[in-house]
PDB file of all heavy atoms in Angstrom:
ATOM      1  N   THR F   1      83.328 106.922  99.155  1.00  0.00           N
ATOM      2  CA  THR F   1      83.175 108.375  99.278  1.00  0.00           C
ATOM      3  C   THR F   1      82.287 108.849  98.141  1.00  0.00           C
ATOM      4  O   THR F   1      82.561 108.540  96.969  1.00  0.00           O
ATOM      5  CB  THR F   1      84.543 109.071  99.204  1.00  0.00           C
ATOM      6  OG1 THR F   1      85.382 108.560 100.234  1.00  0.00           O
ATOM      7  CG2 THR F   1      84.393 110.573  99.400  1.00  0.00           C
ATOM      8  N   ALA F   2      81.224 109.586  98.475  1.00  0.00           N
ATOM      9  CA  ALA F   2      80.270 110.016  97.451  1.00  0.00           C
ATOM     10  C   ALA F   2      79.831 111.450  97.717  1.00  0.00           C
ATOM     11  O   ALA F   2      79.992 111.986  98.822  1.00  0.00           O
ATOM     12  CB  ALA F   2      79.054 109.083  97.432  1.00  0.00           C
ATOM     13  N   THR F   3      79.258 112.084  96.684  1.00  0.00           N
ATOM     14  CA  THR F   3      78.731 113.448  96.843  1.00  0.00           C
ATOM     15  C   THR F   3      77.492 113.393  97.715  1.00  0.00           C
ATOM     16  O   THR F   3      76.880 112.342  97.903  1.00  0.00           O
ATOM     17  CB  THR F   3      78.380 114.045  95.476  1.00  0.00           C
ATOM     18  OG1 THR F   3      77.371 113.239  94.856  1.00  0.00           O
ATOM     19  CG2 THR F   3      79.609 114.097  94.570  1.00  0.00           C
ATOM     20  N   GLN F   4      77.141 114.544  98.251  1.00  0.00           N
ATOM     21  CA  GLN F   4      75.972 114.615  99.132  1.00  0.00           C
ATOM     22  C   GLN F   4      74.703 114.191  98.410  1.00  0.00           C
ATOM     23  O   GLN F   4      73.789 113.631  99.018  1.00  0.00           O
ATOM     24  CB  GLN F   4      75.821 116.033  99.684  1.00  0.00           C
ATOM     25  CG  GLN F   4      76.968 116.422 100.584  1.00  0.00           C
ATOM     26  CD  GLN F   4      76.869 117.859 101.073  1.00  0.00           C
ATOM     27  OE1 GLN F   4      77.442 118.203 102.086  1.00  0.00           O
ATOM     28  NE2 GLN F   4      76.158 118.711 100.355  1.00  0.00           N
ATOM     29  N   ASP F   5      74.658 114.435  97.089  1.00  0.00           N
ATOM     30  CA  ASP F   5      73.444 114.106  96.340  1.00  0.00           C
ATOM     31  C   ASP F   5      73.242 112.595  96.204  1.00  0.00           C
ATOM     32  O   ASP F   5      72.119 112.132  96.021  1.00  0.00           O
ATOM     33  CB  ASP F   5      73.504 114.738  94.942  1.00  0.00           C
ATOM     34  CG  ASP F   5      73.485 116.261  95.014  1.00  0.00           C
ATOM     35  OD1 ASP F   5      72.990 116.786  96.034  1.00  0.00           O
ATOM     36  OD2 ASP F   5      73.978 116.902  94.075  1.00  0.00           O
ATOM     37  N   HIS F   6      74.330 111.830  96.259  1.00  0.00           N
ATOM     38  CA  HIS F   6      74.234 110.387  96.059  1.00  0.00           C
ATOM     39  C   HIS F   6      74.434 109.602  97.352  1.00  0.00           C
ATOM     40  O   HIS F   6      74.580 108.391  97.340  1.00  0.00           O
ATOM     41  CB  HIS F   6      75.273 109.923  95.027  1.00  0.00           C
ATOM     42  CG  HIS F   6      74.982 110.358  93.632  1.00  0.00           C
ATOM     43  ND1 HIS F   6      75.411 111.568  93.124  1.00  0.00           N
ATOM     44  CD2 HIS F   6      74.276 109.754  92.626  1.00  0.00           C
ATOM     45  CE1 HIS F   6      75.022 111.698  91.873  1.00  0.00           C
ATOM     46  NE2 HIS F   6      74.317 110.598  91.543  1.00  0.00           N
ATOM     47  N   PHE F   7      74.424 110.320  98.464  1.00  0.00           N
ATOM     48  CA  PHE F   7      74.637 109.666  99.753  1.00  0.00           C
ATOM     49  C   PHE F   7      73.340 109.723 100.550  1.00  0.00           C
ATOM     50  O   PHE F   7      72.802 110.814 100.782  1.00  0.00           O
ATOM     51  CB  PHE F   7      75.757 110.385 100.523  1.00  0.00           C
ATOM     52  CG  PHE F   7      76.287 109.582 101.673  1.00  0.00           C
ATOM     53  CD1 PHE F   7      77.404 108.785 101.521  1.00  0.00           C
ATOM     54  CD2 PHE F   7      75.679 109.626 102.917  1.00  0.00           C
ATOM     55  CE1 PHE F   7      77.917 108.056 102.587  1.00  0.00           C
ATOM     56  CE2 PHE F   7      76.166 108.896 103.986  1.00  0.00           C
ATOM     57  CZ  PHE F   7      77.296 108.103 103.816  1.00  0.00           C
ATOM     58  N   ASN F   8      72.799 108.569 100.929  1.00  0.00           N
ATOM     59  CA  ASN F   8      71.557 108.538 101.686  1.00  0.00           C
ATOM     60  C   ASN F   8      71.641 107.447 102.751  1.00  0.00           C
ATOM     61  O   ASN F   8      72.691 106.819 102.947  1.00  0.00           O
ATOM     62  CB  ASN F   8      70.351 108.330 100.758  1.00  0.00           C
ATOM     63  CG  ASN F   8      70.509 107.086  99.898  1.00  0.00           C
ATOM     64  OD1 ASN F   8      70.766 106.001 100.405  1.00  0.00           O
ATOM     65  ND2 ASN F   8      70.380 107.262  98.578  1.00  0.00           N
ATOM     66  N   PHE F   9      70.514 107.221 103.418  1.00  0.00           N
ATOM     67  CA  PHE F   9      70.531 106.279 104.545  1.00  0.00           C
ATOM     68  C   PHE F   9      70.807 104.838 104.094  1.00  0.00           C
ATOM     69  O   PHE F   9      71.126 103.978 104.896  1.00  0.00           O
ATOM     70  CB  PHE F   9      69.199 106.351 105.310  1.00  0.00           C
ATOM     71  CG  PHE F   9      68.043 105.764 104.554  1.00  0.00           C
ATOM     72  CD1 PHE F   9      67.681 104.438 104.722  1.00  0.00           C
ATOM     73  CD2 PHE F   9      67.296 106.542 103.675  1.00  0.00           C
ATOM     74  CE1 PHE F   9      66.620 103.899 104.031  1.00  0.00           C
ATOM     75  CE2 PHE F   9      66.237 105.999 102.986  1.00  0.00           C
ATOM     76  CZ  PHE F   9      65.880 104.677 103.159  1.00  0.00           C
ATOM     77  N   GLN F  10      70.669 104.540 102.759  1.00  0.00           N
ATOM     78  CA  GLN F  10      70.951 103.194 102.260  1.00  0.00           C
ATOM     79  C   GLN F  10      72.427 102.976 101.934  1.00  0.00           C
ATOM     80  O   GLN F  10      72.865 101.837 101.792  1.00  0.00           O
ATOM     81  CB  GLN F  10      70.125 102.929 100.994  1.00  0.00           C
ATOM     82  CG  GLN F  10      68.622 102.898 101.249  1.00  0.00           C
ATOM     83  CD  GLN F  10      67.837 102.687  99.976  1.00  0.00           C
ATOM     84  OE1 GLN F  10      68.324 103.017  98.888  1.00  0.00           O
ATOM     85  NE2 GLN F  10      66.640 102.153 100.103  1.00  0.00           N
ATOM     86  N   THR F  11      73.179 104.063 101.850  1.00  0.00           N
ATOM     87  CA  THR F  11      74.569 103.950 101.396  1.00  0.00           C
ATOM     88  C   THR F  11      75.398 103.085 102.342  1.00  0.00           C
ATOM     89  O   THR F  11      76.174 102.230 101.917  1.00  0.00           O
ATOM     90  CB  THR F  11      75.199 105.340 101.269  1.00  0.00           C
ATOM     91  OG1 THR F  11      74.420 106.135 100.364  1.00  0.00           O
ATOM     92  CG2 THR F  11      76.625 105.228 100.754  1.00  0.00           C
ATOM     93  N   LEU F  12      75.244 103.318 103.631  1.00  0.00           N
ATOM     94  CA  LEU F  12      76.018 102.553 104.598  1.00  0.00           C
ATOM     95  C   LEU F  12      75.694 101.062 104.495  1.00  0.00           C
ATOM     96  O   LEU F  12      76.586 100.211 104.555  1.00  0.00           O
ATOM     97  CB  LEU F  12      75.744 103.052 106.014  1.00  0.00           C
ATOM     98  CG  LEU F  12      76.601 102.407 107.120  1.00  0.00           C
ATOM     99  CD1 LEU F  12      78.069 102.685 106.882  1.00  0.00           C
ATOM    100  CD2 LEU F  12      76.176 102.925 108.483  1.00  0.00           C
ATOM    101  N   GLY F  13      74.428 100.722 104.328  1.00  0.00           N
ATOM    102  CA  GLY F  13      74.030  99.320 104.169  1.00  0.00           C
ATOM    103  C   GLY F  13      74.603  98.707 102.905  1.00  0.00           C
ATOM    104  O   GLY F  13      74.981  97.529 102.889  1.00  0.00           O
ATOM    105  N   THR F  14      74.684  99.543 101.841  1.00  0.00           N
ATOM    106  CA  THR F  14      75.251  99.051 100.587  1.00  0.00           C
ATOM    107  C   THR F  14      76.726  98.700 100.745  1.00  0.00           C
ATOM    108  O   THR F  14      77.193  97.659 100.287  1.00  0.00           O
ATOM    109  CB  THR F  14      75.082 100.109  99.485  1.00  0.00           C
ATOM    110  OG1 THR F  14      73.693 100.423  99.339  1.00  0.00           O
ATOM    111  CG2 THR F  14      75.627  99.596  98.166  1.00  0.00           C
ATOM    112  N   VAL F  15      77.464  99.586 101.425  1.00  0.00           N
ATOM    113  CA  VAL F  15      78.890  99.329 101.653  1.00  0.00           C
ATOM    114  C   VAL F  15      79.062  98.101 102.549  1.00  0.00           C
ATOM    115  O   VAL F  15      79.954  97.273 102.330  1.00  0.00           O
ATOM    116  CB  VAL F  15      79.563 100.566 102.276  1.00  0.00           C
ATOM    117  CG1 VAL F  15      81.022 100.269 102.612  1.00  0.00           C
ATOM    118  CG2 VAL F  15      79.462 101.749 101.333  1.00  0.00           C
ATOM    119  N   GLN F  16      78.219  98.009 103.554  1.00  0.00           N
ATOM    120  CA  GLN F  16      78.295  96.840 104.439  1.00  0.00           C
ATOM    121  C   GLN F  16      78.014  95.553 103.662  1.00  0.00           C
ATOM    122  O   GLN F  16      78.680  94.532 103.867  1.00  0.00           O
ATOM    123  CB  GLN F  16      77.302  96.990 105.584  1.00  0.00           C
ATOM    124  CG  GLN F  16      77.416  95.887 106.630  1.00  0.00           C
ATOM    125  CD  GLN F  16      76.456  96.095 107.793  1.00  0.00           C
ATOM    126  OE1 GLN F  16      75.631  97.016 107.764  1.00  0.00           O
ATOM    127  NE2 GLN F  16      76.573  95.261 108.808  1.00  0.00           N
ATOM    128  N   ALA F  17      77.032  95.585 102.764  1.00  0.00           N
ATOM    129  CA  ALA F  17      76.716  94.413 101.948  1.00  0.00           C
ATOM    130  C   ALA F  17      77.891  94.054 101.037  1.00  0.00           C
ATOM    131  O   ALA F  17      78.191  92.867 100.824  1.00  0.00           O
ATOM    132  CB  ALA F  17      75.464  94.666 101.118  1.00  0.00           C
ATOM    133  N   ALA F  18      78.573  95.094 100.504  1.00  0.00           N
ATOM    134  CA  ALA F  18      79.741  94.842  99.652  1.00  0.00           C
ATOM    135  C   ALA F  18      80.854  94.178 100.453  1.00  0.00           C
ATOM    136  O   ALA F  18      81.524  93.249  99.980  1.00  0.00           O
ATOM    137  CB  ALA F  18      80.226  96.145  99.031  1.00  0.00           C
ATOM    138  N   ALA F  19      81.069  94.667 101.693  1.00  0.00           N
ATOM    139  CA  ALA F  19      82.087  94.052 102.553  1.00  0.00           C
ATOM    140  C   ALA F  19      81.723  92.603 102.862  1.00  0.00           C
ATOM    141  O   ALA F  19      82.604  91.723 102.901  1.00  0.00           O
ATOM    142  CB  ALA F  19      82.231  94.853 103.842  1.00  0.00           C
ATOM    143  N   GLN F  20      80.438  92.324 103.085  1.00  0.00           N
ATOM    144  CA  GLN F  20      79.989  90.956 103.323  1.00  0.00           C
ATOM    145  C   GLN F  20      80.196  90.076 102.097  1.00  0.00           C
ATOM    146  O   GLN F  20      80.550  88.901 102.210  1.00  0.00           O
ATOM    147  CB  GLN F  20      78.513  90.945 103.719  1.00  0.00           C
ATOM    148  CG  GLN F  20      78.247  91.342 105.157  1.00  0.00           C
ATOM    149  CD  GLN F  20      78.780  90.288 106.116  1.00  0.00           C
ATOM    150  OE1 GLN F  20      79.816  90.473 106.757  1.00  0.00           O
ATOM    151  NE2 GLN F  20      78.074  89.172 106.206  1.00  0.00           N
ATOM    152  N   ALA F  21      79.977  90.672 100.915  1.00  0.00           N
ATOM    153  CA  ALA F  21      80.196  89.912  99.679  1.00  0.00           C
ATOM    154  C   ALA F  21      81.664  89.513  99.552  1.00  0.00           C
ATOM    155  O   ALA F  21      81.986  88.388  99.141  1.00  0.00           O
ATOM    156  CB  ALA F  21      79.761  90.745  98.474  1.00  0.00           C
ATOM    157  N   ILE F  22      82.554  90.439  99.899  1.00  0.00           N
ATOM    158  CA  ILE F  22      83.985  90.114  99.881  1.00  0.00           C
ATOM    159  C   ILE F  22      84.276  88.994 100.875  1.00  0.00           C
ATOM    160  O   ILE F  22      85.022  88.052 100.587  1.00  0.00           O
ATOM    161  CB  ILE F  22      84.826  91.361 100.211  1.00  0.00           C
ATOM    162  CG1 ILE F  22      84.655  92.416  99.114  1.00  0.00           C
ATOM    163  CG2 ILE F  22      86.298  90.990 100.374  1.00  0.00           C
ATOM    164  CD1 ILE F  22      85.315  93.738  99.425  1.00  0.00           C
ATOM    165  N   TYR F  23      83.679  89.094 102.051  1.00  0.00           N
ATOM    166  CA  TYR F  23      83.867  88.071 103.094  1.00  0.00           C
ATOM    167  C   TYR F  23      83.440  86.692 102.586  1.00  0.00           C
ATOM    168  O   TYR F  23      84.172  85.705 102.721  1.00  0.00           O
ATOM    169  CB  TYR F  23      83.065  88.471 104.331  1.00  0.00           C
ATOM    170  CG  TYR F  23      82.776  87.351 105.295  1.00  0.00           C
ATOM    171  CD1 TYR F  23      83.737  86.907 106.195  1.00  0.00           C
ATOM    172  CD2 TYR F  23      81.527  86.725 105.309  1.00  0.00           C
ATOM    173  CE1 TYR F  23      83.475  85.873 107.079  1.00  0.00           C
ATOM    174  CE2 TYR F  23      81.249  85.693 106.192  1.00  0.00           C
ATOM    175  CZ  TYR F  23      82.229  85.266 107.073  1.00  0.00           C
ATOM    176  OH  TYR F  23      81.959  84.254 107.947  1.00  0.00           O
ATOM    177  N   HIS F  24      82.255  86.628 101.990  1.00  0.00           N
ATOM    178  CA  HIS F  24      81.747  85.335 101.523  1.00  0.00           C
ATOM    179  C   HIS F  24      82.598  84.785 100.378  1.00  0.00           C
ATOM    180  O   HIS F  24      82.829  83.562 100.304  1.00  0.00           O
ATOM    181  CB  HIS F  24      80.292  85.462 101.087  1.00  0.00           C
ATOM    182  CG  HIS F  24      79.336  85.628 102.223  1.00  0.00           C
ATOM    183  ND1 HIS F  24      79.185  84.689 103.206  1.00  0.00           N
ATOM    184  CD2 HIS F  24      78.474  86.638 102.543  1.00  0.00           C
ATOM    185  CE1 HIS F  24      78.277  85.091 104.091  1.00  0.00           C
ATOM    186  NE2 HIS F  24      77.833  86.279 103.710  1.00  0.00           N
ATOM    187  N   GLN F  25      83.057  85.667  99.492  1.00  0.00           N
ATOM    188  CA  GLN F  25      83.904  85.191  98.407  1.00  0.00           C
ATOM    189  C   GLN F  25      85.253  84.698  98.918  1.00  0.00           C
ATOM    190  O   GLN F  25      85.832  83.755  98.386  1.00  0.00           O
ATOM    191  CB  GLN F  25      84.103  86.294  97.361  1.00  0.00           C
ATOM    192  CG  GLN F  25      82.861  86.553  96.527  1.00  0.00           C
ATOM    193  CD  GLN F  25      83.169  87.278  95.228  1.00  0.00           C
ATOM    194  OE1 GLN F  25      84.218  87.090  94.652  1.00  0.00           O
ATOM    195  NE2 GLN F  25      82.239  88.115  94.794  1.00  0.00           N
ATOM    196  N   LEU F  26      85.760  85.361  99.965  1.00  0.00           N
ATOM    197  CA  LEU F  26      87.005  84.895 100.572  1.00  0.00           C
ATOM    198  C   LEU F  26      86.818  83.506 101.184  1.00  0.00           C
ATOM    199  O   LEU F  26      87.694  82.644 101.077  1.00  0.00           O
ATOM    200  CB  LEU F  26      87.477  85.879 101.648  1.00  0.00           C
ATOM    201  CG  LEU F  26      88.124  87.166 101.149  1.00  0.00           C
ATOM    202  CD1 LEU F  26      88.373  88.105 102.327  1.00  0.00           C
ATOM    203  CD2 LEU F  26      89.432  86.879 100.430  1.00  0.00           C
ATOM    204  N   ILE F  27      85.668  83.318 101.844  1.00  0.00           N
ATOM    205  CA  ILE F  27      85.377  82.008 102.425  1.00  0.00           C
ATOM    206  C   ILE F  27      85.291  80.959 101.322  1.00  0.00           C
ATOM    207  O   ILE F  27      85.847  79.853 101.440  1.00  0.00           O
ATOM    208  CB  ILE F  27      84.059  82.044 103.229  1.00  0.00           C
ATOM    209  CG1 ILE F  27      84.185  82.997 104.411  1.00  0.00           C
ATOM    210  CG2 ILE F  27      83.689  80.645 103.692  1.00  0.00           C
ATOM    211  CD1 ILE F  27      85.230  82.588 105.423  1.00  0.00           C
ATOM    212  N   LEU F  28      84.593  81.320 100.227  1.00  0.00           N
ATOM    213  CA  LEU F  28      84.461  80.396  99.103  1.00  0.00           C
ATOM    214  C   LEU F  28      85.831  80.088  98.494  1.00  0.00           C
ATOM    215  O   LEU F  28      86.142  78.945  98.171  1.00  0.00           O
ATOM    216  CB  LEU F  28      83.531  80.994  98.044  1.00  0.00           C
ATOM    217  CG  LEU F  28      83.279  80.137  96.798  1.00  0.00           C
ATOM    218  CD1 LEU F  28      82.650  78.803  97.173  1.00  0.00           C
ATOM    219  CD2 LEU F  28      82.393  80.880  95.797  1.00  0.00           C
ATOM    220  N   GLN F  29      86.645  81.150  98.356  1.00  0.00           N
ATOM    221  CA  GLN F  29      87.993  80.963  97.813  1.00  0.00           C
ATOM    222  C   GLN F  29      88.806  80.024  98.703  1.00  0.00           C
ATOM    223  O   GLN F  29      89.529  79.143  98.224  1.00  0.00           O
ATOM    224  CB  GLN F  29      88.691  82.320  97.717  1.00  0.00           C
ATOM    225  CG  GLN F  29      90.049  82.294  97.049  1.00  0.00           C
ATOM    226  CD  GLN F  29      89.939  82.522  95.549  1.00  0.00           C
ATOM    227  OE1 GLN F  29      88.841  82.506  94.987  1.00  0.00           O
ATOM    228  NE2 GLN F  29      91.066  82.707  94.905  1.00  0.00           N
ATOM    229  N   GLU F  30      88.680  80.219 100.016  1.00  0.00           N
ATOM    230  CA  GLU F  30      89.408  79.383 100.965  1.00  0.00           C
ATOM    231  C   GLU F  30      88.951  77.933 100.863  1.00  0.00           C
ATOM    232  O   GLU F  30      89.763  77.003 100.910  1.00  0.00           O
ATOM    233  CB  GLU F  30      89.195  79.912 102.383  1.00  0.00           C
ATOM    234  CG  GLU F  30      89.983  79.177 103.449  1.00  0.00           C
ATOM    235  CD  GLU F  30      89.782  79.766 104.829  1.00  0.00           C
ATOM    236  OE1 GLU F  30      89.338  80.933 104.927  1.00  0.00           O
ATOM    237  OE2 GLU F  30      90.061  79.056 105.816  1.00  0.00           O
ATOM    238  N   LEU F  31      87.637  77.745 100.707  1.00  0.00           N
ATOM    239  CA  LEU F  31      87.110  76.389 100.568  1.00  0.00           C
ATOM    240  C   LEU F  31      87.600  75.730  99.281  1.00  0.00           C
ATOM    241  O   LEU F  31      87.948  74.547  99.268  1.00  0.00           O
ATOM    242  CB  LEU F  31      85.582  76.417 100.590  1.00  0.00           C
ATOM    243  CG  LEU F  31      84.930  76.717 101.939  1.00  0.00           C
ATOM    244  CD1 LEU F  31      83.422  76.863 101.778  1.00  0.00           C
ATOM    245  CD2 LEU F  31      85.242  75.617 102.952  1.00  0.00           C
ATOM    246  N   LEU F  32      87.626  76.516  98.190  1.00  0.00           N
ATOM    247  CA  LEU F  32      88.091  75.972  96.919  1.00  0.00           C
ATOM    248  C   LEU F  32      89.567  75.586  96.994  1.00  0.00           C
ATOM    249  O   LEU F  32      89.972  74.530  96.503  1.00  0.00           O
ATOM    250  CB  LEU F  32      87.873  76.995  95.792  1.00  0.00           C
ATOM    251  CG  LEU F  32      86.417  77.249  95.393  1.00  0.00           C
ATOM    252  CD1 LEU F  32      86.325  78.390  94.386  1.00  0.00           C
ATOM    253  CD2 LEU F  32      85.792  75.985  94.804  1.00  0.00           C
ATOM    254  N   VAL F  33      90.354  76.452  97.618  1.00  0.00           N
ATOM    255  CA  VAL F  33      91.781  76.148  97.786  1.00  0.00           C
ATOM    256  C   VAL F  33      91.949  74.895  98.641  1.00  0.00           C
ATOM    257  O   VAL F  33      92.770  74.023  98.348  1.00  0.00           O
ATOM    258  CB  VAL F  33      92.525  77.343  98.422  1.00  0.00           C
ATOM    259  CG1 VAL F  33      93.936  76.944  98.826  1.00  0.00           C
ATOM    260  CG2 VAL F  33      92.564  78.517  97.454  1.00  0.00           C
ATOM    261  N   GLU F  34      91.146  74.802  99.702  1.00  0.00           N
ATOM    262  CA  GLU F  34      91.223  73.638 100.592  1.00  0.00           C
ATOM    263  C   GLU F  34      90.823  72.364  99.857  1.00  0.00           C
ATOM    264  O   GLU F  34      91.455  71.321  99.999  1.00  0.00           O
ATOM    265  CB  GLU F  34      90.324  73.852 101.803  1.00  0.00           C
ATOM    266  CG  GLU F  34      90.417  72.745 102.840  1.00  0.00           C
ATOM    267  CD  GLU F  34      89.558  73.011 104.064  1.00  0.00           C
ATOM    268  OE1 GLU F  34      88.961  74.104 104.157  1.00  0.00           O
ATOM    269  OE2 GLU F  34      89.496  72.131 104.928  1.00  0.00           O
ATOM    270  N   GLN F  35      89.756  72.488  99.051  1.00  0.00           N
ATOM    271  CA  GLN F  35      89.309  71.321  98.293  1.00  0.00           C
ATOM    272  C   GLN F  35      90.359  70.898  97.272  1.00  0.00           C
ATOM    273  O   GLN F  35      90.630  69.703  97.108  1.00  0.00           O
ATOM    274  CB  GLN F  35      87.982  71.617  97.594  1.00  0.00           C
ATOM    275  CG  GLN F  35      86.795  71.682  98.546  1.00  0.00           C
ATOM    276  CD  GLN F  35      85.494  71.979  97.840  1.00  0.00           C
ATOM    277  OE1 GLN F  35      85.490  72.258  96.632  1.00  0.00           O
ATOM    278  NE2 GLN F  35      84.399  71.940  98.563  1.00  0.00           N
ATOM    279  N   ARG F  36      90.954  71.880  96.583  1.00  0.00           N
ATOM    280  CA  ARG F  36      92.010  71.549  95.630  1.00  0.00           C
ATOM    281  C   ARG F  36      93.184  70.890  96.337  1.00  0.00           C
ATOM    282  O   ARG F  36      93.776  69.933  95.842  1.00  0.00           O
ATOM    283  CB  ARG F  36      92.470  72.814  94.889  1.00  0.00           C
ATOM    284  CG  ARG F  36      91.593  73.207  93.716  1.00  0.00           C
ATOM    285  CD  ARG F  36      92.306  74.167  92.803  1.00  0.00           C
ATOM    286  NE  ARG F  36      92.587  75.424  93.460  1.00  0.00           N
ATOM    287  CZ  ARG F  36      91.792  76.485  93.451  1.00  0.00           C
ATOM    288  NH1 ARG F  36      90.642  76.416  92.795  1.00  0.00           N
ATOM    289  NH2 ARG F  36      92.116  77.599  94.076  1.00  0.00           N
ATOM    290  N   SER F  37      93.514  71.421  97.514  1.00  0.00           N
ATOM    291  CA  SER F  37      94.619  70.852  98.288  1.00  0.00           C
ATOM    292  C   SER F  37      94.312  69.422  98.693  1.00  0.00           C
ATOM    293  O   SER F  37      95.178  68.542  98.621  1.00  0.00           O
ATOM    294  CB  SER F  37      94.891  71.711  99.528  1.00  0.00           C
ATOM    295  OG  SER F  37      95.889  71.142 100.327  1.00  0.00           O
ATOM    296  N   ILE F  38      93.070  69.192  99.127  1.00  0.00           N
ATOM    297  CA  ILE F  38      92.670  67.837  99.519  1.00  0.00           C
ATOM    298  C   ILE F  38      92.734  66.898  98.329  1.00  0.00           C
ATOM    299  O   ILE F  38      93.252  65.781  98.419  1.00  0.00           O
ATOM    300  CB  ILE F  38      91.254  67.848 100.130  1.00  0.00           C
ATOM    301  CG1 ILE F  38      91.266  68.585 101.479  1.00  0.00           C
ATOM    302  CG2 ILE F  38      90.726  66.426 100.309  1.00  0.00           C
ATOM    303  CD1 ILE F  38      89.896  68.803 102.070  1.00  0.00           C
ATOM    304  N   LEU F  39      92.228  67.346  97.180  1.00  0.00           N
ATOM    305  CA  LEU F  39      92.256  66.514  95.979  1.00  0.00           C
ATOM    306  C   LEU F  39      93.687  66.194  95.564  1.00  0.00           C
ATOM    307  O   LEU F  39      93.993  65.075  95.152  1.00  0.00           O
ATOM    308  CB  LEU F  39      91.533  67.214  94.822  1.00  0.00           C
ATOM    309  CG  LEU F  39      90.006  67.218  94.881  1.00  0.00           C
ATOM    310  CD1 LEU F  39      89.436  68.032  93.730  1.00  0.00           C
ATOM    311  CD2 LEU F  39      89.447  65.805  94.836  1.00  0.00           C
ATOM    312  N   GLU F  40      94.560  67.177  95.710  1.00  0.00           N
ATOM    313  CA  GLU F  40      95.955  66.970  95.311  1.00  0.00           C
ATOM    314  C   GLU F  40      96.680  66.016  96.250  1.00  0.00           C
ATOM    315  O   GLU F  40      97.619  65.340  95.849  1.00  0.00           O
ATOM    316  CB  GLU F  40      96.691  68.315  95.246  1.00  0.00           C
ATOM    317  CG  GLU F  40      96.290  69.184  94.075  1.00  0.00           C
ATOM    318  CD  GLU F  40      96.611  68.522  92.733  1.00  0.00           C
ATOM    319  OE1 GLU F  40      97.788  68.242  92.467  1.00  0.00           O
ATOM    320  OE2 GLU F  40      95.675  68.253  91.963  1.00  0.00           O
ATOM    321  N   THR F  41      96.271  65.996  97.513  1.00  0.00           N
ATOM    322  CA  THR F  41      96.977  65.151  98.481  1.00  0.00           C
ATOM    323  C   THR F  41      96.317  63.783  98.659  1.00  0.00           C
ATOM    324  O   THR F  41      96.845  62.947  99.379  1.00  0.00           O
ATOM    325  CB  THR F  41      97.038  65.843  99.859  1.00  0.00           C
ATOM    326  OG1 THR F  41      95.712  66.182 100.293  1.00  0.00           O
ATOM    327  CG2 THR F  41      97.873  67.112  99.784  1.00  0.00           C
ATOM    328  N   LEU F  42      95.179  63.556  98.002  1.00  0.00           N
ATOM    329  CA  LEU F  42      94.519  62.251  98.102  1.00  0.00           C
ATOM    330  C   LEU F  42      95.413  61.153  97.547  1.00  0.00           C
ATOM    331  O   LEU F  42      96.115  61.345  96.549  1.00  0.00           O
ATOM    332  CB  LEU F  42      93.198  62.255  97.325  1.00  0.00           C
ATOM    333  CG  LEU F  42      91.984  62.915  97.977  1.00  0.00           C
ATOM    334  CD1 LEU F  42      90.810  62.893  97.006  1.00  0.00           C
ATOM    335  CD2 LEU F  42      91.607  62.202  99.262  1.00  0.00           C
TER     336      LEU F  42
END
């Protein structure tokens, strides 16, 4: 949520990019957890 002065046509893309960044970090986190789990069960 932003003021009208700081809200433009790029804002939506910025929020979408932030959501994608969270998505990719979650995937990375899941991979790291999986790798740790695999290493622990080897």
Side-chain angles (χ1 to χ4, degrees):
T1 302
T3 61
Q4 295 177 157
D5 295 337
H6 290 88
F7 195 95
N8 55 53
F9 71 93
Q10 295 178 335
T11 303
L12 185 61
T14 302
V15 176
Q16 186 177 5
Q20 282 292 105
I22 295 173
Y23 161 79
H24 288 299
Q25 287 199 33
L26 284 173
I27 297 297
L28 180 60
Q29 186 90 350
E30 184 178 341
L31 288 174
L32 290 174
V33 170
E34 184 177 355
Q35 288 180 354
R36 278 197 295 269
S37 176
I38 292 173
L39 284 176
E40 288 298 299
T41 55
L42 281 176

